[in-house]
Amino acid sequence: MSSKANNETEYLMLSGIQHFMFCKRQWALIHIEQQWEENVRTIEGQHLHEKADNPFIREKRKDKIIVRGMPVQSNILKINGICDVVEFIQDSNGVEIIGEQGKYIPIPIEYKRGKPKRDETDLVQLAAQAICLEEMLVCEIHTGYMFYNEVKKRVEVPITKELKEKVEKLVLEMQEFYARRYTPKVKTGKHCLNCSLQHICLPDMMNRQSVKSYIEGMLRE
């Protein structure tokens, strides 16, 4: 593989897979066009992640090691990011960890501000983390957890073959969009009301005309 293919600057943010599944246009505005607006949801989410993502903290509790803010990446999918928390549970079927005795099974845990969703938006991000950990540690991960702050509840998530395949398909499409620098047109819906980019995206206006024609019209006025 060429050095260019291994260039981390070409890697996509792992967290973007959730944006992409929620709205492909939102993902492109954030990750391709580098546009961002904060709303209550994003600020609350950042506050929650700051509590979980505390770098360099490695805590041991009996047969469990807790690592916060762990960097992960996949050279195969060309994605990287940060795991909120990874719990390493001591198990004879696990993998060795430098500086520790015995073997451990890694369990990714993702923190979210709200409550469990009906779709798989959160789950694909967790599965992407599992894929990165599997590649880095040469192991298999079958379980992860979502912690939802609104309900103060940890939800177990089976990391299935089907879920991993969905992640791979989504990331492949993301890479394709990114390579083309392609921002798709918007598909409006109720989800647009809570989107932090609704004023940049101009969903209502985009249904009637392109951004270019909108701006040209404004200039003529």
Side-chain angles (χ1 to χ4, degrees), residues 1-11 75 78 179 181:
M1 187 176 291
S2 68
S3 59
K4 182 179 179 180
N6 279 323
N7 187 346
E8 289 190 13
T9 60
E10 295 182 339
Y11 282 35
N75 294 324
K78 294 176 69 176
R181 298 299 190 268

Side-chain angles (χ1 to χ4, degrees), residues 92-198:
S92 58
N93 295 318
V95 295
E96 294 182 353
I97 298 178
I98 296 175
E100 300 291 343
Q101 294 184 344
K103 295 184 177 181
Y104 296 81
I105 294 178
I107 307 292
I109 302 170
E110 177 68 12
Y111 283 68
K112 296 296 179 185
R113 61 163 295 281
K115 56 187 177 181
K117 297 181 176 65
R118 294 181 180 180
D119 59 24
E120 294 182 321
T121 308
D122 291 341
L123 308 190
V124 292
Q125 184 177 354
L126 185 67
Q129 294 176 4
I131 289 173
C132 290
L133 287 167
E134 286 183 333
E135 185 178 325
M136 291 169 60
L137 301 174
V138 191
C139 65
E140 290 187 7
I141 297 175
H142 303 289
T143 303
Y145 289 91
M146 301 295 307
F147 180 85
Y148 292 95
N149 193 55
E150 186 173 321
V151 294
K152 303 293 191 232
K153 183 179 180 181
R154 179 187 284 198
V155 179
E156 183 175 349
V157 178
I159 309 296
T160 64
K161 178 183 177 183
E162 291 74 20
L163 192 56
K164 291 177 183 177
E165 289 175 348
K166 178 171 287 189
V167 168
E168 292 169 0
K169 183 178 179 181
L170 287 168
V171 172
L172 185 63
E173 192 174 2
M174 288 162 60
Q175 294 285 7
E176 188 177 304
F177 280 18
Y178 192 81
R180 294 165 52 199
R181 298 299 190 268
Y182 172 65
T183 300
K185 293 183 178 180
V186 69
K187 292 183 179 180
T188 58
K190 291 182 179 179
H191 62 284
C192 295
L193 298 176
N194 291 323
C195 178
S196 58
L197 296 179
Q198 60 177 302

